[in-house]
Amino acid sequence: MNKSSVSTGGGVYRYYVLTMLMLTFMFNIADRLVMSVLIEDIKAEFALSDTQIGLLAGTAFTVFYLLLGVPAGRLADRTNRKTMVAISLSLWSLMSALCGAAVGFWTLLLARLGVGVGEAGGGPPSASIITDYFEPHELSRAMGIFAVGAVLGPALGYAAGGLIAEVYGWRWTFVILGVPGILLGVVIYLTIREPRRGRFYQQAAELSGPSKGVDTQEPFMTTMRSLWANNIFFRVVLANAFTNIPSFAFAIWLAPTLMRNFGVTSGEVGVYLGGALLVGGVPAMILGGFLADFLAKKNPKWRPWYCAFAVLLTIPFWTFCLLSNSLEMTLALYICGYILLVSTQGAAISLVQSSVLPTERGTAGAISSLLTNLLGYGIGPALIGVMSDNWANSYGTMSLNYSVISVAVVSLNMAALFFWWVGKAVRIDSGHPASP
């Protein structure tokens, strides 16, 4: 066993690890979404359509993520996870910085493909590490704190990206936001200690028996059959994927929508959206995890059922925010829906990680990320771009609004249905947050 995996520390140190991984998640999302506030400038310089923008903002990132996500997850189940995180973070940050050197659609597309290559190896090992630093009854809140990175990332991408773009242009924005991620990768490699795999999963150790510990990885097809037969994992992955379709749709398309409908600048929209995400998203991520843990103490089924209710309540807020004629009302309704939606993320991630064996966590996280990114990034943004271009003659600047609304309403209803279905699979007498 790796010596670093023996002494991992506890108390304050585990929150240091959680903070570093949360910051990694922040740069993950920031590097993906900074393009949102740069869309109008890039579109004008390269004379691109909304369909091409959808391909750059979402599909390009997803291509290599889909190819490398599961192999990266398998690697995370049998190798040093903190090293994987450090290398992946440095790689995608470098490729994000190189987006600033693009000379047209195809070179920018290639750079975005590179961002996807790096990010494929970041998420699964991060979630797996956290699961080995926090006990099961703490996992939703820990994952909620980790998921704060999904709020800080867009806030950094929007606010800093918009303000930097107004002063230095869109090219230097990619560079300035990419370099810090490379430095953070070095810090993670030097300061984070690898935890013992499956240290809190006693049930898995007992099932494994004396000849096979929680560090032993099963063959790929054995793992896939186990995950396929795991009702909780299969259902929550679908639920989370459909939850993230509208989340990514708004993250990518809300900024250009505000610019087109209300005539605000990239700097203004960046500050508005960045501030909105910080004010609403950070407490929602953390409190949502605590609330899910509290409800689950009474009945474990409430962890996914809470997610179902929150997702359903998001629909009216996000529908009417894109139909409002007031910038202030649009932002207020968006924040309300965003608070509800992101409050589910801690519970959703913990359901994925706690429902599988320790040697399956990286693979499970990779499959969850793969489906989420396929639907949320690979298909969603491009589909909305195509719909917007096709409806432009009929609805003008509102074509983008109607496209986002259509995709969001269908996706959120599907997500609520799947979360309810997850609750049907959770055992009331389970000693873990979830149990197949």
Side-chain angles (χ1 to χ4, degrees):
M1 183 181 294
N2 190 318
K3 185 177 181 179
S4 66
S5 68
V6 178
S7 177
T8 55
V12 175
Y13 178 75
R14 63 180 182 155
Y15 282 98
Y16 167 78
V17 173
L18 181 59
T19 301
M20 291 296 102
L21 295 176
M22 181 270 289
L23 292 176
T24 300
F25 198 10
M26 178 188 76
F27 280 106
N28 181 307
I29 304 299
D31 288 342
R32 297 189 205 183
L33 296 183
V34 64
M35 194 171 192
S36 179
V37 293
L38 308 178
I39 282 176
E40 296 301 287
D41 292 338
I42 294 172
K43 183 178 180 179
E45 181 170 335
F46 294 151
L48 305 178
S49 66
D50 279 345
T51 300
Q52 289 175 303
I53 290 295
L55 292 172
L56 288 172
T59 307
F61 160 83
T62 310
V63 171
F64 278 108
Y65 201 109
L66 297 179
L67 294 175
L68 299 177
V70 173
R74 290 286 291 174
L75 186 61
D77 284 333
R78 65 174 181 266
T79 192
N80 189 294
R81 292 164 289 180
K82 67 103 174 186
T83 301
M84 276 194 67
V85 173
I87 293 174
S88 297
L89 171 59
S90 299
L91 177 58
W92 84 61
S93 298
L94 174 63
M95 295 307 300
S96 182
L98 288 177
C99 288
V103 296
F105 172 77
W106 290 106
T107 51
L108 186 53
L109 183 72
L110 289 174
R112 293 289 289 175
L113 288 171
V115 174
V117 171
E119 292 194 8
S126 294
S128 181
I129 289 172
I130 294 170
T131 306
D132 286 331
Y133 267 103
F134 291 85
E135 297 187 47
H137 70 274
E138 305 172 306
L139 198 52
S140 285
R141 70 194 73 172
M143 290 302 182
I145 295 172
F146 172 63
V148 166
V151 176
L152 297 180
L156 176 66
Y158 288 144
L163 293 174
I164 293 172
E166 283 200 346
V167 178
Y168 298 106
W170 66 266
R171 296 179 182 278
W172 277 106
T173 302
F174 280 118
V175 176
I176 293 171
L177 291 182
V179 171
I182 300 174
L183 301 178
L184 180 61
V186 175
V187 172
I188 286 174
Y189 179 77
L190 295 176
T191 64
I192 287 184
R193 296 191 292 270
E194 178 78 1
R196 180 167 59 84
R197 201 180 301 273
R199 60 190 300 212
F200 295 124
Y201 208 105
Q202 296 304 315
Q203 180 184 14
E206 294 169 3
L207 289 174
S208 297
S211 63
K212 181 174 62 177
V214 293
D215 287 325
T216 304
Q217 186 182 52
E218 296 286 356
F220 177 70
M221 291 308 299
T222 301
T223 299
M224 292 302 294
R225 283 193 294 269
S226 174
L227 294 176
W228 180 257
N230 186 326
N231 288 332
I232 293 174
F233 170 75
F234 176 72
R235 297 175 188 185
V236 77
V237 165
L238 289 173
N240 205 35
F242 277 99
T243 299
N244 280 285
I245 292 174
S247 179
F248 294 155
F250 272 81
I252 291 172
W253 290 113
L254 183 58
T257 295
L258 296 180
M259 293 181 194
R260 296 178 193 185
N261 294 342
F262 301 107
V264 293
T265 66
S266 60
E268 290 171 334
V269 78
V271 171
Y272 294 154
L273 293 181
L277 296 184
L278 283 175
V279 171
V282 173
M285 286 285 193
I286 298 173
L287 294 178
F290 274 92
L291 179 58
D293 280 341
F294 173 77
L295 293 173
K297 289 181 180 178
K298 301 179 183 297
N299 185 341
K301 293 178 180 290
W302 269 107
R303 186 172 275 107
W305 285 349
Y306 165 75
C307 295
F309 283 120
V311 165
L312 280 177
L313 290 174
T314 303
I315 296 175
F317 288 108
W318 276 11
T319 298
F320 289 109
C321 90
L322 290 180
L323 297 176
S324 173
N325 293 322
S326 164
L327 175 62
E328 293 76 12
M329 183 59 69
T330 296
L331 292 172
L333 292 173
Y334 171 68
I335 293 172
C336 291
Y338 185 75
I339 289 173
L340 287 165
L341 195 67
V342 300
S343 71
T344 67
Q345 291 305 288
I349 298 172
S350 70
L351 281 165
V352 170
Q353 291 293 305
S354 62
S355 65
V356 302
L357 295 173
T359 52
E360 297 174 342
R361 286 176 183 154
T363 305
I367 292 173
S368 178
S369 295
L370 186 151
L371 187 58
T372 295
N373 284 284
L374 171 62
L375 296 179
Y377 274 116
I379 297 176
L383 175 62
I384 290 171
V386 171
M387 293 169 66
S388 176
D389 286 337
N390 289 334
W391 291 353
N393 291 335
S394 300
Y395 302 112
T397 58
M398 288 298 291
S399 66
L400 183 55
N401 299 54
Y402 295 145
S403 300
V404 175
I405 289 173
S406 300
V407 170
V409 169
V410 173
S411 300
L412 291 173
N413 274 290
M414 292 296 295
L417 178 63
F418 282 122
F419 273 125
W420 173 83
W421 197 27
V422 172
K424 300 287 287 184
V426 174
R427 292 206 314 260
I428 296 178
D429 62 347
S430 171
H432 294 282
S435 179

